[in-house]
Amino acid sequence: SEVDVLNGKVLTLLTSHCLRCHSGDNIKGGLELIKNGQLAVLPRDVRWDVFDNVYSGVMPKGGPPLSDEDAELLRQWARIKDK
């Protein structure tokens, strides 16, 4: 489905830019984005917080800002309705 494709792209993006601080034993801010190699199931409001922090330049902390294309992927991910 379209959502599965989007989730796959977001998983790749978060793995590249966020894994070192938001996965496994190193979970900063109490936000675990990836669990057991899979995209964590996050409520919509938390996904919006992730997008807002990336879009505003707060995240990724200590790394280069994400491209506009990557930020757009996160915006689309944040818009997915909770099940």
Side-chain angles (χ1 to χ4, degrees):
S1 77
E2 187 176 319
V3 170
D4 292 333
V5 170
L6 177 60
N7 282 338
K9 290 179 180 179
V10 169
L11 176 61
T12 300
L13 172 68
L14 295 179
T15 298
S16 297
H17 296 279
C18 310
L19 192 65
R20 70 187 164 107
C21 295
H22 296 288
S23 182
D25 295 333
N26 190 25
I27 303 172
K28 304 258 171 127
L31 179 62
E32 187 171 18
L33 296 172
I34 299 170
K35 291 183 179 185
N36 301 320
Q38 299 293 316
L39 191 59
V41 177
L42 302 171
R44 192 175 191 189
D45 62 327
V46 173
R47 294 191 311 266
W48 274 116
D49 288 344
V50 171
F51 167 74
D52 287 340
N53 283 327
V54 167
Y55 189 75
S56 67
V58 172
M59 294 292 159
K61 195 172 273 187
L66 271 63
S67 68
D68 290 344
E69 181 180 313
D70 288 342
E72 175 60 19
L73 271 177
L74 290 179
R75 186 189 67 76
Q76 291 174 16
W77 176 62
R79 293 184 67 198
I80 297 170
K81 292 184 178 168
D82 290 336
K83 291 182 180 181

